[in-house]
Amino acid sequence: MFGELEELLRIPPYSLSEKEKEARLLPIIRLGAGKALVNRHVRSMYSKLGVSPESMEDLASVPAVPVRMFKDFDLTTCDPEDIVRVLRSSGTTSHRPSVVPLDKITTTNQTKGLRSILGAYLGDKRRVMLVVDHPGINAPGRELSARGAGARGLSIYAREVVYLLKEEDGGLVLDLEALDRARKLASVNEVYVFGFTYIIWSVFCAQMEERGLRMDLPRAVVFHGGGWKKLKDQKVDREVFSSRLSRLLGCDPREVRDFYGMAEQTGVIFVDCEFGHKHVPVFGEVIIRDVQTLKECPPGKRGLIEVMSVLGHSYYGQAVLTEDVGRMLGTDDCPCGRKGRYFVVEGRAEQAEARGCGDTFRER
């Protein structure tokens, strides 16, 4: 089965039809779920649901862990001595972060997954990476924040990394020396830009405009994610964001690509195509669930987003029910040409509650 996962990580990430992908993913998911039963909480969930990995007939029948379970339960499925890093989410919902244990197998799979996805947008050539954040988010250590994980993960395509912000008096400010360095590097290299959406908007864009600064990055590709709730409260949508940022960077607004991802599923990100649709790579899946019944929604119906991945080895990440809502737009027929499912994210569920498996999850 290791060979099947390696093969999925080698082929182009949007090259399989949905039917072909499910046929490859399901055996890997079953095997991973079977190994995850070593965790007493996961074992309890499967037992109370009356489900065994061998009985799962399709991806929709795989029990999903409500995402907030990562805040309350140890979901480790490997030997604790094999854990090399602990990833903590931002904890925006309850001010308590999710805790995600990572072993070498998982981090290697995640790196390969991100390389596969980024390669589909950047090509084969490594580029200079400009990070709209400060270098302290990626400081060495066993624990890593979601921002640090994002910067570290997306740096796999970087020949050199430049952080455009710095910490000063407890806040973030433009690093003008770094901006000059970025301009010089960009004059002779292709670049890509990464940052968290709210930080880009509230710090980078605001301070660039206050100082009357611009960059000239006509071939840059921008990846950004996270923090949309705060921006939507300010009536900022994707088009407004892309227009403002592309004007400051001097890049094509169509290359300002929002992505959806989560700390609990690092390595699988869902990046916008040219039509603003988020695409699912071959080593992951997305299912939209009815908020009340948790049954799979038909295309076009709004529901909770469930994300699936075959990259995790050190924790149960086969299926995670998020507290975000979205709609499935279609399968295998996006006008951009990418195969598989594509969807949109519409924000956070109102008064989100852990549902479905939550009641069965508690072992004690």
Side-chain angles (χ1 to χ4, degrees), residues 18-123:
E18 184 63 20
K19 186 176 180 180
E20 293 172 323
K21 185 173 77 171
E22 177 152 1
R24 294 201 185 195
L25 282 183
L26 186 57
I28 304 175
I29 291 275
R30 283 180 181 146
L31 184 64
K35 292 180 177 178
L37 296 181
V38 68
N39 182 290
R40 64 189 179 106
H41 302 302
V42 176
R43 189 166 63 246
S44 173
M45 176 177 71
Y46 271 74
S47 174
K48 292 179 180 177
L49 290 172
V51 175
S52 67
E54 298 77 19
S55 69
M56 298 185 301
E57 296 181 346
D58 52 30
L59 295 178
S61 64
V62 178
V65 174
V67 68
R68 64 175 56 190
M69 296 298 108
F70 283 86
K71 303 175 188 290
D72 298 324
F73 296 91
D74 178 3
L75 298 179
T76 303
T77 59
C78 68
D79 189 326
E81 293 184 356
D82 292 336
I83 296 172
V84 296
R85 187 169 298 130
V86 176
L87 177 61
R88 296 185 184 277
S89 72
S90 59
T92 52
T93 301
S94 62
H95 304 295
R96 288 183 293 112
S98 290
V99 178
V100 185
L102 305 175
D103 64 358
K104 283 187 178 179
I105 295 174
T106 303
T107 57
T108 299
N109 288 343
Q110 292 173 341
T111 299
K112 291 179 179 177
L114 283 173
R115 181 182 293 122
S116 173
I117 293 169
L118 292 183
Y121 293 88
L122 298 176

Side-chain angles (χ1 to χ4, degrees), residues 26 32 39 43 53 69 90 111 121 125 131 140-141 156 165 182 216 227 235 241 253 257 301 306-307 319 326 350-351:
L26 186 57
N39 182 290
R43 189 166 63 246
M69 296 298 108
S90 59
T111 299
Y121 293 88
K125 190 176 178 182
V131 181
I156 56 173
L165 304 180
D216 183 20
K235 311 300 182 188
F241 179 91
R257 298 179 183 270
K301 183 178 179 181
E306 176 185 318
V307 294
E350 294 295 331
Q351 297 180 331

Side-chain angles (χ1 to χ4, degrees), residues 168-364:
E168 189 171 283
D169 298 327
L172 293 176
V173 298
L174 284 175
D175 185 332
L176 299 180
E177 291 183 4
L179 274 178
D180 285 341
R181 183 171 164 230
R183 286 193 181 94
K184 292 174 182 174
L185 287 170
S187 67
V188 293
N189 296 280
E190 293 192 7
V191 304
Y192 68 108
V193 181
F194 165 73
F196 277 74
T197 308
Y198 184 71
I199 292 176
I200 291 175
W201 180 266
S202 63
V203 178
F204 181 78
C205 291
Q207 295 186 21
M208 288 285 284
E209 289 176 348
E210 286 173 5
R211 292 175 176 271
L213 299 175
R214 295 285 190 276
M215 300 188 76
D216 183 20
L217 311 174
R219 297 186 301 279
V221 179
V222 181
F223 299 99
H224 67 95
W228 273 112
K229 183 177 185 306
K230 292 180 179 178
L231 291 189
K232 288 185 176 178
D233 291 343
Q234 299 175 28
K235 311 300 182 188
V236 177
D237 60 20
R238 176 178 175 272
E239 288 70 27
V240 171
F241 179 91
S242 297
S243 175
R244 185 189 192 193
L245 181 60
S246 63
R247 189 168 60 251
L248 292 169
L249 294 179
C251 68
D252 187 336
R254 293 172 298 181
E255 292 296 346
V256 178
R257 298 179 183 270
D258 179 50
F259 69 84
Y260 177 67
M262 52 199 309
E264 295 82 359
Q265 292 282 29
T266 301
V268 180
I269 58 175
F270 309 98
V271 183
D272 279 354
C273 71
E274 298 77 9
F275 297 89
H277 304 155
K278 289 180 169 52
H279 283 263
V280 183
V282 294
F283 40 83
E285 185 57 293
V286 165
I287 295 173
I288 305 297
R289 300 277 186 186
D290 183 275
V291 175
Q292 298 299 322
T293 67
L294 294 184
K295 291 183 178 178
E296 185 172 5
C297 293
K301 183 178 179 181
R302 177 184 169 102
L304 288 172
I305 298 172
E306 176 185 318
V307 294
M308 306 183 75
S309 168
V310 292
L311 303 184
H313 175 270
S314 52
Y315 66 96
Y316 185 81
Q318 277 72 17
V320 177
L321 186 65
T322 78
E323 296 176 351
D324 299 315
V325 293
R327 287 181 293 117
M328 193 63 65
L329 298 179
T331 301
D332 297 333
D333 59 359
C334 180
C336 76
R338 293 172 177 84
K339 292 184 178 179
R341 294 182 173 183
Y342 55 101
F343 67 105
V344 292
V345 180
E346 297 186 338
R348 302 282 291 177
E350 294 295 331
Q351 297 180 331
E353 297 178 350
R355 298 183 60 86
C357 302
D359 293 340
T360 64
F361 200 72
R362 187 175 296 277
E363 193 272 341
R364 54 186 181 276

